Amino acid sequence: MDYAQLDAALDAVHRAGVPGVFAEVRAGDQVWRGAAGVADTDTGRPVSAGMRHRVGSVTKTFTAAAVLRQVEQGRIGLDTPIGHYLPKLVPGERGRAITVRMLIDHTSGLAEYLPYAYPSLKAFPDLAATRPDSLDEHRCTRFDPVELIAMGVGAPPVGPPGVYSNTNYLLLGRLLAHVTGGSAEECITRDVIDRAELRDTAFPAGTHVEGPHSKLYESWFGMIDPPRDYSVFDMSWVGPAASLISTVSDLNRFYGRLLAGDIVSPASLAEMRRTVRIVSQEGKLIDYGLGLHPVEPVEPVESAEFWGHGGTVWGGGTLAAARADGTRQFAIAVNRQRWNRLDESGRPQPHAIDGALAALYREAMSCDTVTNR
């Protein structure tokens, strides 16, 4: 397989309905980069593979790695109750029962705060009963993470099994601040981003993405038609759970170095790859480790074992992963989200974008040679 097949798979995602898609695949010292479509549907400005992008919950791998760096330095105990560190945020018996590990792997039982912070989403996961109005209402809202955490902690517990929840990672952000004396963003930047030598990765300083970037088009299951741009947004609604800005090149470098043992110790990496079964935001059972999960191709790839993370924000999506043996990394970004319309029962209907993305993921995972471009 050569770069022409990757180009074709990338183009197919655009033709299926994503305004713009861009990606990078690395195989040893060989690199393929591609882009298809537009960054702005009004002007026709094209996307490029070097654009900065809101990578959503890919941020969780960075945050988890920063926590494990503090574990290695003895400031945090992986199996210590969170109430030992933050008794006011998780008080009483729950604070004594929920460990740091349970926050990182989403087995804490803490609910997602988002439906409480965004009133028009309060019916989630009943998608048909949600509305996207809150997205516009909160474009410039500066959320207090303590208040968001209180919403999740105060909501009815979820699980078992574990349920994916951003409340867990906002708590990890407060934990990093507590043990380091600075902000979580400063800790993650120093101990992970700088350690990985990433040049185009940072937490947002305001509502805009600095540098070349695409607009981000949200469809909210057909309720926003045509899709609306949400690239300008205050990301305090997710903070260290999902607010990072990066590039596909930086993400490949990060996951490659993480899986090589250059970011956390081999013992910490082994902990990150110990998985449990949890329920994803899409309601599916998945294997999840400590801010890291196995990424499976649609069809089996011989001897392939990829680890990484996916992420979404309003209008933007990302998937990045590295093969465990270090031979391949890939990162893919799209500028449209929640394109599936709902059927009569309120379930997302299949869309051509789903199949096109699955084919692109498989090409990125399975090609044996990659031609430099």
Side-chain angles (χ1 to χ4, degrees), residues 14 43 59 65 112 160 181 197 219 233 245 251 263 273 338 356 359:
H14 169 55
T43 66
T59 309
E112 174 62 60
E197 300 178 316
S219 294
F233 215 92
I245 296 168
L251 292 181
I263 309 300
R273 292 172 61 181
R338 284 160 284 273

Side-chain angles (χ1 to χ4, degrees), residues 66-358:
V67 172
L68 285 162
R69 293 276 298 161
Q70 295 301 313
V71 170
E72 293 168 9
Q73 295 172 42
R75 294 194 181 102
I76 293 174
L78 195 54
D79 295 304
T80 300
I82 190 60
H84 173 75
Y85 303 104
L86 304 172
K88 293 183 179 179
L89 294 183
V90 193
E93 181 57 34
R94 295 181 86 186
R96 293 187 289 273
I98 296 171
T99 65
V100 173
R101 182 192 299 274
M102 294 163 72
L103 296 175
I104 309 176
D105 68 12
H106 297 290
T107 57
S108 69
L110 295 174
E112 174 62 60
Y113 61 81
L114 191 58
Y116 301 91
Y118 282 63
S120 70
L121 306 184
K122 64 182 179 181
F124 185 85
D126 181 2
L127 297 175
T130 64
R131 297 295 305 169
D133 308 45
S134 294
L135 279 62
D136 291 295
E137 294 165 2
H138 287 309
R139 280 182 183 268
C140 297
T141 300
R142 193 67 182 170
F143 284 104
D144 181 344
V146 173
E147 293 179 359
L148 295 176
I149 290 168
M151 294 175 188
V153 172
V158 294
V163 177
Y164 189 98
S165 170
N166 285 300
T167 305
N168 294 314
Y169 275 73
L170 288 195
L171 274 164
L172 292 171
R174 302 307 294 177
L175 175 61
L176 288 172
H178 174 75
V179 300
T180 64
S183 70
E185 290 80 3
E186 289 170 340
C187 175
I188 297 164
T189 299
R190 180 187 64 247
D191 288 354
V192 180
I193 296 172
D194 290 348
R195 186 176 179 84
E197 300 178 316
L198 308 182
R199 295 178 297 178
D200 295 305
T201 302
F203 287 95
T207 58
H208 289 71
V209 178
E210 300 296 330
H213 65 280
S214 171
K215 290 188 173 182
L216 302 176
Y217 297 98
E218 178 63 46
S219 294
W220 196 259
F221 308 104
M223 298 179 205
I224 306 177
D225 189 17
R228 190 176 304 144
D229 171 34
Y230 287 98
S231 57
V232 177
F233 215 92
D234 190 306
M235 297 300 293
S236 59
W237 65 280
V238 281
S243 67
L244 204 62
I245 296 168
S246 190
T247 63
V248 290
S249 181
D250 266 11
L251 292 181
N252 278 336
R253 180 177 180 84
F254 168 66
Y255 280 105
R257 296 199 64 177
L258 178 69
L259 270 293
D262 295 336
I263 309 300
V264 299
S265 70
S268 293
L269 181 59
E271 294 286 356
M272 294 184 79
R273 292 172 61 181
R274 287 177 55 188
T275 63
V276 293
R277 295 288 272 177
I278 68 167
V279 178
S280 72
Q281 283 186 321
E282 294 75 29
K284 300 177 181 178
L285 275 174
I286 63 170
D287 294 320
Y288 196 92
L290 300 185
L292 200 62
H293 62 77
V295 176
E296 301 292 342
V298 176
E299 299 175 21
V301 179
E302 185 178 356
S303 302
E305 183 184 21
F306 284 84
W307 291 84
H309 212 291
T312 66
V313 294
W314 310 131
T318 308
L319 178 65
R323 193 160 159 167
D325 62 8
T327 60
R328 186 171 303 280
Q329 301 88 42
F330 74 90
I332 297 166
V334 296
N335 64 0
R336 184 183 174 192
Q337 277 300 293
R338 284 160 284 273
W339 47 76
N340 307 84
R341 291 181 178 270
L342 304 178
D343 61 21
E344 292 181 356
S345 63
R347 292 181 302 225
Q349 300 179 57
H351 193 288
I353 294 172
D354 303 319
L357 274 175

